[in-house]
Amino acid sequence: MKSRDNNDLISVENAQEIIFSKFKKLQSIQKKLIDSNGFILDEEINALFDLPNKNNSAMDGFAVRHDDLEINKSLRVVGRVGAESVTDYVIKKDEAMRIMTGSGIPKGADSVVPFENTNNNPHKGDDFPDVVLINEIVNKGDNIRLSGQDYKFGEIVVENGMLIDPAIIGAIASFGVNEVNVIRKPIVSLISTGNELVMPGEKLNEGQIYDSNSFALSAAISSSGAECKMHKILSDKKEDVDKLYENCSRSDLIVTIGGVSKGDFDLIRDAISSKGNIDFWGINMKPGKPLAFGQVVLNNKKVFHIGLPGNPVSSYVCFELFIRPILLKMQGIKNIHRKKIRAKISSDIFNNDGRRSYSRVSIKKDKENNYIADVYKNQGSNIFSSLVYSNGLAICPENCKVIKSGDELEVILLKD
Ligand code: AMP
Ligand code: MG
């Protein structure tokens, strides 16, 4: 096969443009609220009523008229309201009503005196004393939670496009809503290829290595809000590669790992071509050069296929640059890119082959609050520790041969 120079490779931007343009927001589905955690909301949720829906007590104590309060004065106890009960009794001069947290404030009362400020203790039975002595006065309005204090009727509770989290689920549930419209999760078929690979948990024979990439990427796919269908490892044998697309037709994206380079056993590009076509192969970047992007037709449906290079760091960096953004885009998320900052490099970076490089760095701040990018000592594309150590990718431009320690580079922050 003809060897390739950098002129055959497309730029990262060009590759992103081609890939991103093929994916759009997926359909909306109805989901039980209790199962909606981690989905993107596809509707605006408005307050169906004022929340709280009534003025209520913030404490267990006595509902009173503030004007009646004096230290060491006794008030007549006229009854009791629990959190569930509603009373139409109107509190009159020198009267008090036993009231529990969350109970509606009876008419006439304007303040709540907690038990602790009186001579009364909580009484479990119905035989509570009919007088109460006030030991400590509260301010007018104290211990009353006003209706609509949390949300006013009609107000936006959750904006369209928000990521649903436990607090949001609670806020929606407060209005009695039990179902929400969300964007369905993208489904990704993830397939590792390689004669040498064995699943973690199985016995390793001579010459074999564990399939670490599919574990890392499966987690990365789930962290991006998508559903990962992990397929069985494929060997590099042609008859096995021919089975690559089995059970993939319902996926939104097929991601393979390995077998896409120029090795004797690299059959992924042939597999794509046999069922569809390749949009491009080869990006002017390091690590991650031999990424292939194409589409195949399965059961009359077009499914996109990204063939990632097998080296762990290459596949991870490519996931960050090309796959995470489309998983977010499919969920209707507007901002699909990681945050970028500028940081001073802690040690020289050499970049002699004219490709854009993504160095694994750990971002810290110096005393003046400037970002410092600590460059990991080993930048090999097989070095997993470089990813474990790092929280950023420092971008060294294509034709910049050396970045000197102290120079500034743009850095993609890998963790939110
Ligand atoms: P390939 O792209 O298939 O030539 O693989 C390049 C390198 O990455 C080889 O050393 C493979 O053994 C390694 N590799 C490929 N796939 C995986 C994987 N799923 N997990 C860990 N290492 C892998
Ligand atoms: Mg391989």
Side-chain angles (χ1 to χ4, degrees):
M1 189 183 286
K2 173 176 155 299
S3 81
R4 316 172 84 209
D5 58 30
N6 289 356
N7 296 331
D8 297 329
L9 305 172
I10 68 170
S11 69
V12 170
E13 282 71 25
N14 200 352
Q16 286 180 322
E17 226 175 270
I18 295 170
I19 296 177
F20 297 175
S21 69
K22 310 278 187 191
F23 293 87
K24 51 182 197 308
K25 183 175 157 185
L26 300 174
Q27 321 83 296
S28 197
I29 53 167
Q30 269 211 334
K31 202 87 198 148
K32 288 260 176 262
L33 179 63
I34 194 76
D35 299 324
S36 68
N37 196 29
F39 280 82
I40 301 293
L41 189 66
D42 198 32
E43 62 178 318
E44 182 178 281
I45 303 281
N46 299 94
L48 296 174
F49 42 78
D50 282 353
L51 193 72
N53 59 1
K54 57 184 187 286
N55 294 345
N56 67 88
S57 179
M59 300 287 283
D60 297 322
F62 293 89
V64 297
R65 297 163 12 125
H66 187 259
D67 283 352
D68 298 342
L69 293 182
E70 274 171 43
I71 290 186
N72 289 332
K73 177 176 169 183
S74 290
L75 301 178
R76 213 151 37 79
V77 179
V78 293
R80 175 163 72 184
V81 278
E84 76 294 356
S85 42
V86 179
T87 175
D88 48 16
Y89 188 88
V90 182
I91 302 288
K92 291 177 277 303
K93 187 168 168 41
D94 291 339
E95 289 182 345
M97 171 90 69
R98 292 179 77 84
I99 191 164
M100 306 305 131
T101 304
S103 312
I105 305 293
K107 288 202 184 68
D110 57 16
S111 310
V112 169
V113 182
F115 282 139
E116 315 57 316
N117 294 14
T118 72
N119 71 338
N120 265 217
N121 292 319
H123 281 263
K124 298 291 176 217
D126 288 334
D127 58 337
F128 48 82
D130 55 7
V131 288
V132 58
L133 190 76
I134 304 297
N135 292 333
E136 213 181 308
I137 294 177
V138 297
N139 292 321
K140 189 167 183 174
D142 269 6
N143 303 315
I144 293 183
R145 308 190 288 210
L146 295 176
S147 164
Q149 193 178 54
D150 198 355
Y151 293 103
K152 289 256 183 294
F153 170 63
E155 191 182 333
I156 297 177
V157 178
V158 195
E159 282 171 28
N160 197 337
M162 292 276 282
L163 172 67
I164 300 177
D165 67 14
I168 286 178
I169 289 181
I172 297 173
S174 305
F175 296 100
V177 172
N178 192 28
E179 279 193 342
V180 282
N181 293 319
V182 299
I183 306 291
R184 81 164 171 83
K185 284 184 183 270
I187 302 169
V188 181
S189 282
L190 181 63
I191 310 160
S192 275
T193 70
N195 292 337
E196 73 283 25
L197 300 177
V198 177
M199 280 303 265
E202 287 174 16
K203 185 172 172 293
L204 202 63
N205 291 319
E206 207 185 329
Q208 295 181 317
I209 62 166
Y210 282 118
D211 173 4
S212 51
N213 288 2
S214 65
F215 271 48
L217 291 186
S218 164
I221 288 165
S222 313
S223 297
S224 309
E227 193 183 306
C228 180
K229 278 173 44 186
M230 228 154 128
H231 292 232
K232 278 215 317 246
I233 297 171
L234 284 187
S235 80
D236 296 313
K237 291 195 203 92
K238 168 120 182 28
E239 40 303 6
D240 227 13
V241 178
D242 284 344
K243 296 187 200 140
L244 168 69
Y245 295 113
E246 278 178 10
N247 304 317
C248 287
S249 62
R250 296 183 59 198
S251 297
D252 298 294
L253 174 67
I254 298 158
V255 175
T256 52
I257 304 169
V260 75
S261 203
K262 286 184 286 185
D264 294 353
F265 305 108
D266 291 343
L267 299 173
I268 291 299
R269 281 182 296 141
D270 294 344
I272 302 176
S273 303
S274 72
K275 294 261 186 228
N277 63 285
I278 295 180
D279 287 66
F280 67 80
W281 173 59
I283 305 176
N284 195 23
M285 64 184 283
K286 184 173 70 180
K289 178 166 88 169
L291 180 146
F293 176 66
Q295 47 217 291
V296 291
V297 178
L298 308 173
N299 292 343
N300 294 323
K301 186 187 153 212
K302 193 165 72 180
V303 188
F304 295 101
H305 180 159
I306 294 181
L308 295 176
N311 275 306
V313 181
S314 312
S315 65
Y316 197 86
V317 170
C318 288
F319 175 86
E320 279 291 333
L321 295 183
F322 306 108
I323 299 180
R324 181 180 178 273
I326 54 177
L327 299 181
L328 301 190
K329 189 173 179 192
M330 280 191 266
Q331 292 169 85
I333 295 171
K334 296 270 164 347
N335 188 5
I336 59 175
H337 293 289
R338 294 275 196 196
K339 195 174 154 196
K340 282 183 186 164
I341 55 159
R342 291 193 70 80
K344 275 196 182 131
I345 301 301
S346 67
S347 50
D348 299 352
I349 297 177
F350 297 97
N351 187 30
N352 288 319
D353 60 6
R355 283 188 275 157
R356 182 179 307 178
S357 79
Y358 292 86
S359 301
R360 274 72 68 209
V361 298
S362 171
I363 295 293
K364 305 190 168 96
K365 278 190 171 173
D366 67 10
K367 287 197 196 95
E368 284 84 47
N369 239 7
N370 300 312
Y371 287 116
I372 305 291
D374 200 4
V375 182
Y376 191 69
K377 57 182 188 279
N378 188 339
Q379 293 287 330
S381 59
N382 58 329
I383 302 296
F384 238 119
S385 54
S386 72
L387 288 173
V388 173
Y389 167 83
S390 305
N391 56 7
L393 296 173
I395 308 171
C396 178
E398 283 79 348
N399 291 313
C400 194
K401 289 196 181 332
V402 58
I403 304 285
K404 286 288 198 197
S405 164
D407 286 353
E408 269 196 6
L409 277 186
E410 200 165 43
V411 177
I412 301 171
L413 296 182
L414 290 177
K415 291 165 192 166
D416 304 314

